[in-house]
C-alpha cells in the first residue's frame, strides 16, 4: 500500500522531510526489501529533488504543494514526488548537466539529475500530469530503488 505525505511550507519542508526519513529508518514505513545502503540512496534521491524544488521551483501565486509517496513493490520501492510548480524543461536541464560534466573545469554543483538517474531505476519526469481546478498544474517525478542494485559505479563525477 502506498504511503504518502504532503508538504506545503517551503521554509520547513527540508526539516520535515528529514523527519520523514527518520521515521523510515525507525521502520515506521514498510520499505522492505531495501537494505540500509539502498535506503540511503532513496533518501538521497528524494532529498535532491525536493531541495531543488525549494531552491528553483516557481509556484507562481499558488500555495506550494509537494507530495512524496512510496510503495514497496516486490524487489524494489517505487517513489513518486508530485508538485504544483510551473515545472521545468527536464531534457534541457539534463543536457546542461551532461555538458557541465564534460567541461574542462566542471562546476562543483549542477549534477543532481545525472546522479539521480545513476542511482535509481526508471526515473521519469511527467509534465504536467494534471491541471487543477484553480488553473495550476501538477508535475511528477517517479523512480524505483532496487533491493539488489548498487549504483555507486554509475555516478558521474
Amino acid at each position: 500500500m502506498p504511503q504518502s505525505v504532503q508538504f506545503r511550507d517551503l521554509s520547513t519542508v527540508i526539516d520535515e522531510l528529514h523527519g520523514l526519513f527518520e521515521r523510515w529508518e525507525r521502520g515506521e514505513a514498510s520499505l522492505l526489501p531495501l537494505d540500509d545502503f539502498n535506503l540511503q540512496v532513496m533518501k538521497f534521491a528524494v532529498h535532491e529533488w525536493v531541495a531543488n524544488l525549494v531552491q528553483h521551483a516557481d509556484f507562481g501565486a499558488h500555495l506550494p504543494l509537494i507530495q512524496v509517496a512510496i510503495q514497496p513493490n516486490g524487489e524494489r520501492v517505487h517513489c513518486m514526488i508530485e508538485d504544483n510548480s510551473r515545472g521545468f524543461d527536464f531534457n534541457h536541464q539534463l543536457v546542461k548537466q551532461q555538458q557541465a560534466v564534460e567541461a574542462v573545469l566542471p562546476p562543483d554543483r549542477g549534477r543532481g539529475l545525472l546522479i539521480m538517474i545513476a542511482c535509481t531505476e526508471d526515473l521519469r519526469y511527467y509534465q504536467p500530469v494534471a491541471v487543477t481546478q484553480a488553473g495550476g498544474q501538477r508535475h511528477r517525478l517517479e523512480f524505483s530503488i532496487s533491493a539488489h542494485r548498487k549504483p555507486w559505479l554509475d555516478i558521474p563525477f
Side-chain angles (χ1 to χ4, degrees):
M1 170 162 232
Q3 299 177 27
S4 179
V5 62
Q6 291 184 352
F7 305 101
R8 290 211 170 260
D9 185 348
L10 295 181
S11 67
T12 63
V13 67
I14 297 301
D15 290 336
E16 292 178 41
L17 186 63
H18 288 198
L20 174 65
F21 293 164
E22 289 173 11
R23 291 192 299 276
W24 288 355
E25 289 178 335
R26 286 194 308 261
E28 293 178 23
S30 176
L31 295 177
L32 296 176
L34 297 185
D35 61 13
D36 288 340
F37 177 82
N38 285 317
L39 176 59
Q40 297 304 318
V41 170
M42 186 171 78
K43 287 171 37 180
F44 165 77
V46 171
H47 182 272
E48 177 66 19
W49 191 260
V50 172
N52 278 302
L53 285 171
V54 170
Q55 187 174 6
H56 302 292
D58 180 0
F59 290 91
H62 301 285
L63 178 66
L65 173 63
I66 301 170
Q67 181 175 359
V68 176
I70 56 168
Q71 180 173 12
N73 184 6
E75 293 293 314
R76 60 187 62 198
V77 173
H78 185 76
C79 188
M80 180 205 67
I81 305 168
E82 197 167 290
D83 68 86
N84 66 339
S85 72
R86 292 186 176 163
F88 73 109
D89 187 335
F90 183 90
N91 292 326
H92 175 73
Q93 190 64 30
L94 191 56
V95 167
K96 282 178 55 177
Q97 289 189 18
Q98 289 167 334
Q99 290 170 343
V101 168
E102 296 167 2
V104 175
L105 293 172
D108 292 336
R109 300 183 50 164
R111 290 181 212 121
L113 291 178
L114 295 174
I115 294 171
M116 288 177 64
I117 289 168
C119 290
T120 65
E121 296 176 13
D122 306 319
L123 185 134
R124 293 192 176 109
Y125 179 64
Y126 300 96
Q127 178 184 14
V129 291
V131 176
T132 66
Q133 290 178 340
Q137 297 179 341
R138 295 181 59 95
H139 310 283
R140 179 182 305 147
L141 178 81
E142 292 187 26
F143 61 86
S144 294
I145 302 290
S146 173
H148 303 293
R149 184 168 178 260
K150 303 293 186 220
W152 57 82
L153 293 177
D154 298 331
I155 297 175
F157 293 101

